[in-house]
Amino acid sequence: VNVSEEGLAAGIADSNGSTDTTNLTTAGGTISVSDVDGNPLNVTLTAPTTALTSNGVAITWTGSDSKLLIGSAGSVEIVRATISDDGTHTVKLSGPIDHPITTEEDLVTLDLGIKVSDGVTTTTSTLTVNVEDDAPKAGSVVQAIEVPPQDTNLLIILDNSGSMNTADGVGGTTRLRSAITALNQLIDTYDTLGEVRIRIVTFNSAASAVGTTWTTVTVGKGQLAAVTLGGTTNYDAAIAAGQTAFTSTGKLASGQNVAYFLSDGVPNSGTGIGNRRRDSLESLPDRQRHHQLRPRHGNRRISGSAESDCL
């Protein structure tokens, strides 16, 4: 009799290997029994002697020497076999049986004993049950995780001095055009995380905020596109204007505060960012995070209380 774990509720049906002949969990047939004297026969089953397990739990048998033989792992039925006096038998597999080879589909053989008695003499035989293995298949597991929105107040302090007109940006563009392209991508990234408000400060010999309030992504990008060039590089004025701009109205009440300082060159003498200016940056409201983005031509980097990036 051949039965297969591939037909179980958690089984995986396939046609792998030479031992894979069925996907059924129930099979049966008839063995020939007779008595030359014509005496009535009594046919029964006996439990196999081979130790078997299911998921590591030993299979024990009840009903040996009867017409109903059940093998269970704890309280879980695994195998049920029946036989009648005319030799008709059925085997049902209800749970998996541990197989000795775990790297391929193989067989586990149960040798159920058969006893045929005419009341005087008993003859024994064997009903061989082949339990075909199934094999796991690798599959994709997809989990959808909803990430909570992260709102951002984004302060951009951008160098628009004359040197930003140098045509050594990406693909031969000016440094300013490359900077604005990168900042637009930066804004889009924050915009995918949640709601964004933008405040732009430009600086050269002096510094000033663009507009009077925090604004939307669309308006902020428009402000970047309209930036013009001229003058030298005054870091001190840039930081002071950035601190003032941060306190403007229109910020999001909740969310993170992030500032980016972008410059391409050496600041004017006496306007560099020393310890005094670093201390004032670290005292920004809400422990505002600040970054400096600069090309290779830049001179100095802002160190921040939370994090400092260099581009």
Side-chain angles (χ1 to χ4, degrees):
V1 172
N2 293 332
V3 292
S4 176
E5 294 177 357
E6 295 180 2
L8 296 174
I12 302 173
D14 58 44
S15 57
N16 297 330
S18 59
T19 61
D20 198 341
T21 65
T22 182
N23 291 335
L24 300 178
T25 57
T26 301
T30 303
I31 60 172
S32 177
V33 293
S34 62
D35 182 80
V36 295
D37 300 321
N39 293 332
L41 299 177
N42 181 39
V43 182
T44 58
L45 296 170
T46 59
T49 57
T50 302
L52 300 168
T53 60
S54 175
N55 292 320
V57 179
I59 296 177
T60 57
W61 299 89
T62 57
S64 194
D65 291 322
S66 72
K67 299 185 185 304
L68 174 62
L69 180 66
I70 297 176
S72 302
S75 60
V76 179
E77 182 177 310
I78 304 299
V79 181
R80 173 183 292 254
T82 62
I83 197 165
S84 59
D85 288 336
D86 64 359
T88 302
H89 56 274
T90 301
V91 177
K92 179 181 179 181
L93 182 70
S94 299
I97 295 177
D98 296 335
H99 290 240
I101 302 175
T102 59
T103 57
E104 63 182 47
E105 293 189 17
D106 60 344
L107 293 177
V108 168
T109 299
L110 313 181
D111 288 329
L112 306 183
I114 300 177
K115 291 182 179 180
V116 182
S117 174
D118 64 356
V120 178
T121 302
T122 298
T123 301
T124 61
S125 187
T126 301
L127 174 62
T128 299
V129 180
N130 295 315
V131 180
E132 298 177 2
D133 197 4
D134 72 343
K137 291 182 180 179
S140 298
V141 176
V142 178
Q143 291 182 322
I145 300 175
E146 184 175 347
V147 179
Q150 175 65 72
D151 296 340
T152 304
N153 294 308
L154 185 60
L155 174 64
I156 297 171
I157 305 174
L158 175 61
D159 184 348
N160 68 332
S161 62
S163 62
M164 290 290 281
N165 197 39
T166 305
D168 62 357
V170 178
T173 62
T174 65
R175 297 177 186 175
L176 179 64
R177 289 302 107 195
S178 292
I180 290 174
T181 298
L183 288 170
N184 283 331
Q185 294 175 358
L186 180 77
I187 292 169
D188 289 339
T189 300
Y190 280 107
D191 198 27
T192 64
L193 303 177
E195 193 171 357
V196 176
R197 290 293 179 271
I198 296 174
R199 196 79 170 96
I200 295 173
V201 172
T202 59
F203 70 95
N204 43 65
S205 303
S208 62
V210 180
T212 59
T213 64
W214 290 81
T215 188
T216 63
V217 166
T218 301
V219 173
K221 285 185 174 182
Q223 291 174 345
L224 282 175
V227 171
T228 58
L229 294 163
T232 56
T233 308
N234 190 330
Y235 279 10
D236 220 20
I239 297 302
Q243 289 178 295
T244 300
F246 179 81
T247 62
S248 303
T249 60
K251 285 200 307 291
L252 297 172
S254 60
Q256 59 181 344
N257 298 310
V258 185
Y260 287 88
F261 182 105
L262 192 147
S263 177
D264 75 328
V266 178
N268 299 345
S269 178
T271 70
I273 301 174
N275 291 333
R276 176 182 62 83
R277 201 41 99 177
R278 280 197 295 269
D279 291 342
S280 66
L281 278 172
E282 291 176 358
S283 67
L284 280 172
D286 302 325
R287 301 289 287 179
Q288 179 181 356
R289 292 187 293 158
H290 43 278
H291 312 258
Q292 181 184 34
L293 305 181
R294 58 178 174 81
R296 290 172 297 180
H297 321 284
N299 174 52
R300 167 178 321 204
R301 167 183 180 178
I302 299 174
S303 67
S305 59
E307 60 182 75
S308 179
D309 294 341
C310 182
L311 176 63

